[in-house]
Amino acid sequence: MSQADATNPSPARREKLVTADGTPLRRALERANRRRKLTALALVAPLLAFILIFFAFPIAQMMWRSVDNPQIVNALPRTLQALERWDRQGIPDEPVFAALHADMMEDLDRPRREQAIGPLGIRLNYELSAARSAISRTARAVEDFEAPYAEAFIDAHRLWGQPELWRIIQREGRPLTASYYVAALDREYDEAGNIVQRDENRRIYVSLFGRTLGLSLAITFMTFALGFPIAYFLANLPMRYANLLMIAVLLPFWTSLLVRTSAWIVLLQQQGVINELLVNIGLISDENRISMIYNQTGTIIAMTHILLPFMVLPLYSVMRTIPVSYTRAAKSLGATPWTAFRRVYFPQTLPGIGAGGVLVFIISIGYYITPALVGGQSGRMISNEIARHIQQSLNWGLAAALGSMLLVGVLVLYWLYNRLVGADSLKLG
């Protein structure tokens, strides 16, 4: 037998090879390989389940809510069917009002928890002010209506006599809608059903997205400008001193976020510590105190301090692995210290810069608490508007649309970063 035949036996010969208990070797290897895969799957199953339940499923639910539109369909099925013959000119004919009366009467006969009139009013109020009061006032009096129903509905509330309300009911009477995304892009529907730009005084979301992007980039740059010298200093210290000073970098993680933000309010306000110090040493007059709080300046300063460790740690982990002999060799070959740093040392820190920049940018673009406390009106970000719709206006569809657009925007920016720089170059430690 040749050496090749001994190392690579034929299939027939491998079938003859058996284990100690007589099982064919191939079958035993396949069984062991399958057992190993099942064991690996069992080990990662809890993490996979956690990601699916607490990460993937909420994101999918948020994106679904941004297009889900069941309120009008559930509450007014007969009315929507009657509106199919409406030409969108003037108010609908009497059969449409009769169908509306039948839908409302049927809803009143349902148990209170299953009634659809309440959600209908909330949904229509997103599109037209006072629509909720029109629905609720009409629902309280609908049992006393008599034909002709058109006159009774218009007497109950003036909105039933306005074609705009009926156009909204007809347009939004579908299980899925794009109106939340239309509103999130500062657009609206005109009388003909075309998407047009809103009045200038009502455009807020596009500018908020732009402000969020600009503030996030500014915060990322500031953390890099401050974090690079800190990481460089720590990387060139002996390990025992570097570990001691690293405590100062990690100290913000041991302090409550609200405490840190409140401290910046005390420091930055016009009667605060920084302004008092500048006045006392004569750099500014008492009448020209610097406004550093409740604006974009306060947001940038406070968030730079909070997110600085996320830039320092990746930079430090990369700088610590760069051999000092590289720059020494460059200097011995005639390079100046600046040239050695620029041509030899700095390019090797790019993986840490990329990792820190991605971390800081992604965290800051969705930050909420600090801009809400120190940002004021000009320092607010899109996350604050999303929170307002969830907590105050209760327009969860619009909040979901804004959140979905923010998520897609971050993914697009990360894709561009991956194409231009390469995600494989990131080093977090």
Side-chain angles (χ1 to χ4, degrees):
M1 180 186 302
S2 65
Q3 185 176 359
D5 293 337
T7 55
N8 298 305
S10 64
R13 180 174 178 80
R14 285 199 300 267
E15 287 292 341
K16 296 179 182 179
L17 297 177
V18 296
T19 60
D21 59 356
T23 305
L25 182 60
R26 173 183 291 180
R27 191 181 307 167
L29 291 174
E30 292 175 350
R31 187 182 304 166
N33 190 38
R34 184 165 56 253
R35 189 182 302 114
R36 186 165 56 251
K37 291 181 179 179
L38 291 175
T39 302
L41 180 61
L43 291 174
V44 301
L47 177 60
L48 181 62
F50 179 85
I51 293 175
L52 291 176
I53 295 173
F54 296 102
F55 184 73
F57 178 72
I59 290 178
Q61 190 178 40
M62 175 191 71
M63 300 185 75
W64 169 252
R65 189 179 287 274
S66 68
V67 296
D68 189 26
N69 190 45
Q71 295 89 348
I72 300 177
V73 176
N74 294 339
L76 306 176
R78 297 182 183 87
T79 306
L80 293 174
Q81 186 175 3
L83 279 174
E84 292 178 356
R85 296 181 293 273
W86 181 46
D87 59 359
R88 299 177 63 88
Q89 301 298 322
I91 62 174
D93 297 331
E94 175 65 20
V96 176
F97 284 95
L100 176 61
H101 178 265
D103 285 331
M104 284 192 160
M105 289 297 297
E106 181 182 355
D107 190 74
L108 291 177
D109 294 335
R110 298 172 183 168
R112 186 172 182 83
R113 300 181 64 179
E114 299 178 6
Q115 289 182 353
I117 290 298
L120 171 67
I122 295 173
R123 176 66 185 90
L124 291 177
N125 206 68
Y126 297 154
E127 307 292 335
L128 182 63
S129 179
R132 184 176 182 179
S133 64
I135 295 295
S136 59
R137 185 184 303 179
T138 305
R140 289 193 297 267
V142 71
E143 292 180 309
D144 299 329
F145 287 180
E146 296 180 356
Y149 293 110
E151 183 178 350
F153 273 95
I154 296 174
D155 289 341
H157 199 281
R158 58 180 176 79
L159 280 186
W160 296 115
Q162 297 184 9
E164 184 180 3
L165 176 62
W166 292 102
R167 294 191 190 103
I168 293 172
I169 293 175
Q170 186 185 54
R171 186 187 72 229
E172 299 301 324
R174 294 169 294 178
L176 301 178
T177 182
S179 62
Y180 295 126
Y181 286 100
V182 172
L185 292 171
D186 289 332
R187 302 293 193 274
E188 62 184 3
Y189 292 94
D190 62 7
E191 295 182 358
N194 301 317
I195 298 176
V196 296
Q197 197 170 37
R198 281 181 171 175
D199 296 335
E200 188 174 357
N201 59 351
R202 297 177 59 200
R203 302 174 198 165
I204 57 175
Y205 301 119
V206 173
S207 60
L208 266 180
F209 275 112
R211 181 193 302 170
T212 301
L213 179 61
L215 287 175
S216 300
L217 290 174
I219 293 166
T220 303
F221 175 78
M222 290 296 295
T223 55
F224 165 72
L226 296 174
F228 193 93
I230 296 173
Y232 181 79
F233 177 70
L234 293 175
N236 288 276
L237 281 177
M239 184 62 72
R240 61 180 182 274
Y241 298 121
N243 291 338
L244 185 62
L245 292 178
M246 185 59 68
I247 297 176
V249 176
L250 299 176
L251 188 61
F253 290 132
W254 305 339
T255 310
S256 170
L257 177 62
L258 289 176
V259 172
R260 283 178 280 163
T261 305
S262 301
W264 278 113
I265 295 176
V266 175
L267 289 171
L268 297 176
Q269 59 185 325
Q270 288 194 329
Q271 304 299 325
V273 176
I274 296 179
N275 269 303
E276 289 290 342
L277 178 62
L278 294 176
V279 170
N280 290 333
I281 64 178
L283 287 180
I284 60 174
S285 64
D286 190 58
E287 295 79 13
N288 296 319
R289 291 173 178 263
I290 304 174
S291 178
M292 296 181 289
I293 196 68
Y294 306 127
N295 51 29
Q296 295 186 21
T297 303
T299 299
I300 293 174
I301 293 175
M303 289 186 61
T304 298
H305 167 253
I306 292 170
L307 299 178
L308 185 60
F310 292 98
M311 178 65 76
V312 172
L313 293 177
L315 281 172
Y316 172 75
S317 66
V318 171
M319 290 178 177
R320 199 72 192 182
T321 61
I322 299 175
V324 183
S325 58
Y326 289 178
T327 54
R328 290 176 180 172
K331 292 177 183 178
S332 67
L333 293 174
T336 62
W338 167 245
T339 302
F341 175 83
R342 180 174 57 89
R343 299 286 298 275
V344 177
Y345 187 85
F346 184 79
Q348 297 181 78
T349 65
L350 291 179
I353 296 173
V358 169
L359 274 176
V360 172
F361 179 80
I362 291 179
I363 294 174
S364 61
I365 205 171
Y367 226 70
Y368 159 67
I369 296 178
T370 302
L373 294 178
V374 303
Q377 191 62 33
S378 64
R380 290 169 61 86
M381 303 172 76
I382 193 65
S383 55
N384 302 113
E385 193 65 19
I386 294 173
R388 185 183 71 83
H389 283 302
I390 292 176
Q391 298 172 355
Q392 298 179 19
S393 71
L394 302 180
N395 192 345
W396 290 5
L398 181 54
L402 293 171
S404 300
M405 291 172 61
L406 183 63
L407 173 63
V408 172
V410 170
L411 293 177
V412 169
L413 291 174
Y414 183 78
W415 176 80
L416 289 174
Y417 176 87
N418 186 35
R419 290 294 302 270
L420 297 175
V421 180
D424 295 337
S425 64
L426 298 180
K427 288 186 179 179
L428 298 174

